[in-house]
Amino acid sequence: MTSPRLLSWIHAMRIYTHPRVLGMLSLGFSAGLPLLLILGTLSFWLREAGIDRTTIGHLSWIGLAYSIKWLWSPLVDRLPLPLLTDWLGRRRAWLFLSQMIIAAALVGMALTDPVLDLAQLVFFALAVAFASATQDIALDAYRIEAVAVELQGAMAATYQAGYRIAMILASAGVLWIAAAIDASAATYEHLPWRFAYLVMAGSMAVGIITTLIIREPDVPYRHLIADNESIAQQAIATWDLHPRIKNLLIWLYGALIAPFRDFILRHGRHALLILGLIALYRISDVVMGVMSNPFYVDMGYSKDEVATISKVYGVIMTIAGAALGGVLTLKIGIMRTLFLGAVLSATTNLLFVWLAGRGHDVSGLIFTISADNLSAGIASSAFIAYLSGLTNSAYSATQYALFSSVMLLLPKFIAGFSGQFVDAYGYENFFITTALLGLPVLVLVRLAGQASFDRSPDEKR
């Protein structure tokens, strides 16, 4: 006879059959596809085409679009798109527009030979970057508004699964496709890359079709916006200004000031604590991750070993961890799962200390990467669910874009010094230090949990 506890866990797994949770698999695929096509994979293409390394390095700045997306996130929250918003709704309209631009710009990249017109290729790559960042803004807002906070962990898990699958296709997949039709590996030809990028452009149909099928979230955002902005509207209305200027000021207040004011008013003195947790939660993972590949090289692992283990075991364990994290957020709550994820993320960094003492050990590498990626998947699902619960449905796009920017700012900055630390103190001390960086996160999670930041059910929808 099946135990009640096991039945309870089996029942919890049914969250992954929810239509909107399943839909996030395709939308996550659509979000993950463009990133490497304008970064790592593009760098490979450009180098094969004979573009110098300095230029390739400068072109990596295209990816900064993802770091500054909060600048135009208010537009996604407040600006209706002609025809599309009436047809598809507030969130799906922006999703559809950004996906169509990504597909069209990828076609433009495919048809442009960097040897003949590098500037045109860069133009299309920039279009992909900004449209992809816009898709992320709209998709995060849709995910937050589509289901209750209890399902956010599951939404995050399926999103991550789709995202990871797309990244494999956009990296190894593109190289396989290009290699399959490359007549001469010794010389550069544009045709293989053109075909591979056209396939990637066609793959955006997965997200476009899904956007057309899914339902727009039923959120009374106009009522929520009116409640939050009524005082400012009344004050501005009394000013002696031209009506158009008054309307512009009211719109700017709602788009640029109200989202941040709302966050501070709702969380009060705990707002800084929340921002501190957001800024530090991923610090252990991010700082350690910068030196992981150099570590593999210095330990004597081959490119094939690292690629196979990270792409196979690593991706499988990340997806498994994300799925487990989604179930755990439902079973034991977001804050407990958040704490567990923080403990695992810091602890698994110590496995790299163990691995450093073993030298070239493929079995040890498989175990270490599997454990590290499993813990990262659990932590990511819980963290995304936590961030989603902090937003107000009136400003989902703006507030989540701000959170995701804060999330990586400090860890990325500190990670820039990781190479110097390793040179001075060695890998083992580096990995121990990254584990210790996770200790303040545990304190912040406990304090955040004690503060009881959960909102009412009406606000979570």
Side-chain angles (χ1 to χ4, degrees):
M1 180 180 293
T2 306
S3 69
R5 184 176 294 243
L6 179 59
L7 285 174
S8 174
W9 281 94
I10 293 174
H11 180 74
M13 291 295 293
R14 292 175 59 188
I15 57 175
Y16 290 108
T17 64
H18 190 289
R20 292 196 170 183
V21 174
L22 286 173
M24 285 304 296
L25 185 66
S26 298
L27 294 174
F29 178 90
S30 179
L33 191 68
L35 181 63
L36 291 181
L37 296 177
I38 58 172
L39 294 175
T41 304
L42 177 60
S43 297
F44 193 110
W45 176 9
L46 294 176
R47 189 57 186 154
E48 187 177 278
I51 306 300
D52 64 272
R53 284 185 288 269
T54 299
T55 300
I56 293 173
H58 290 164
L59 292 181
S60 68
W61 290 333
I62 292 172
L64 289 174
Y66 294 92
S67 301
I68 60 172
K69 62 185 180 182
W70 59 272
L71 289 174
W72 67 92
S73 59
L75 295 178
V76 180
D77 259 337
R78 302 300 295 266
L79 186 65
L81 297 173
L83 301 178
L84 288 180
T85 299
D86 290 338
W87 175 36
L88 296 172
R90 180 190 185 200
R91 299 308 183 195
R92 291 196 302 151
W94 278 98
L95 272 176
F96 181 77
L97 176 63
S98 58
Q99 289 164 348
M100 292 297 292
I101 293 174
I102 292 169
L106 286 175
V107 171
M109 290 181 68
L111 300 179
T112 304
D113 188 343
V115 175
L116 301 177
D117 196 343
L118 180 60
Q120 179 171 295
L121 183 70
V122 172
F123 169 79
F124 285 123
L126 282 169
V128 172
F130 280 95
S132 177
T134 303
Q135 178 186 218
D136 289 350
I137 296 169
L139 183 52
D140 286 332
Y142 166 82
R143 174 181 49 76
I144 292 167
E145 297 170 2
V147 298
V149 70
E150 290 80 10
L151 291 179
Q152 289 297 331
M155 295 282 275
T158 51
Y159 171 85
Q160 289 184 75
Y163 198 98
R164 295 280 178 170
I165 293 170
M167 290 187 75
I168 294 174
L169 179 62
S171 53
V174 169
L175 298 181
W176 288 334
I177 294 170
I181 62 171
D182 194 351
S184 174
T187 58
Y188 167 73
E189 293 183 14
H190 177 223
L191 177 62
W193 291 101
R194 180 174 64 188
F195 182 77
Y197 268 69
L198 285 175
V199 172
M200 295 302 105
S203 298
M204 283 300 299
V206 173
I208 294 170
I209 293 172
T210 303
T211 298
L212 294 175
I213 293 174
I214 59 176
R215 291 189 298 110
E216 179 75 5
D218 184 18
V219 175
Y221 68 92
R222 296 185 188 279
H223 173 69
L224 295 172
I225 288 173
D227 288 347
N228 279 284
E229 300 171 16
S230 59
I231 296 177
Q233 290 174 348
Q234 293 171 8
I236 294 173
T238 62
W239 296 354
D240 186 19
L241 298 171
H242 191 279
R244 289 185 178 179
I245 296 178
K246 288 182 181 179
N247 290 336
L248 176 61
L249 290 175
I250 291 172
W251 189 90
L252 289 174
Y253 172 85
L256 303 178
I257 299 175
F260 307 106
R261 179 177 179 271
D262 167 78
F263 173 76
I264 294 171
L265 287 178
R266 282 189 297 115
H267 299 292
R269 61 189 177 88
H270 300 304
L272 288 178
L273 173 61
I274 294 174
L275 291 175
L277 175 56
I278 294 172
L280 291 177
Y281 188 76
R282 298 298 307 277
I283 193 168
S284 187
D285 278 345
V286 173
V287 175
M288 190 280 293
V290 173
M291 282 293 109
S292 59
N293 282 327
F295 169 71
Y296 301 146
V297 173
D298 292 342
M299 290 295 104
Y301 295 103
S302 68
K303 290 188 287 291
D304 287 339
E305 288 171 338
V306 175
T308 300
I309 293 170
S310 64
K311 294 299 184 185
V312 178
Y313 295 101
V315 170
I316 290 173
M317 295 307 290
T318 299
I319 294 174
L324 179 57
V327 175
L328 286 172
T329 57
L330 183 65
K331 291 290 293 180
I332 66 174
I334 291 175
M335 298 308 298
R336 289 179 180 176
T337 309
L338 201 67
F339 188 85
L340 174 64
V343 170
L344 292 175
S345 294
T347 303
T348 51
N349 282 10
L350 297 177
L351 289 177
F352 287 87
V353 179
W354 168 77
L355 187 63
R358 297 180 67 86
H360 185 273
D361 181 358
V362 174
S363 298
L365 182 64
I366 292 173
F367 176 73
T368 300
I369 287 182
S370 297
D372 186 57
N373 286 26
L374 179 71
S375 65
I378 294 172
S380 293
S381 287
F383 194 45
I384 292 173
Y386 175 67
L387 295 183
S388 302
L390 293 175
T391 64
N392 184 329
S393 295
Y395 314 108
S396 300
T398 304
Q399 291 179 345
Y400 195 90
L402 174 65
F403 295 154
S404 60
S405 297
V406 171
M407 174 179 68
L408 294 177
L409 185 61
L410 182 61
K412 286 286 188 182
F413 174 75
I414 294 177
F417 301 101
S418 57
Q420 293 172 256
F421 190 99
V422 171
D423 287 341
Y425 303 104
Y427 278 115
E428 293 186 6
N429 287 324
F430 171 71
F431 293 132
I432 291 172
T433 302
T434 60
L436 293 175
L437 286 175
L439 294 180
V441 176
L442 301 180
V443 176
L444 290 173
V445 173
R446 291 298 299 269
L447 291 175
Q450 292 171 2
S452 300
F453 295 133
D454 290 343
R455 296 175 294 164
S456 69
D458 291 338
E459 289 178 314
K460 295 173 185 175
R461 297 293 298 181

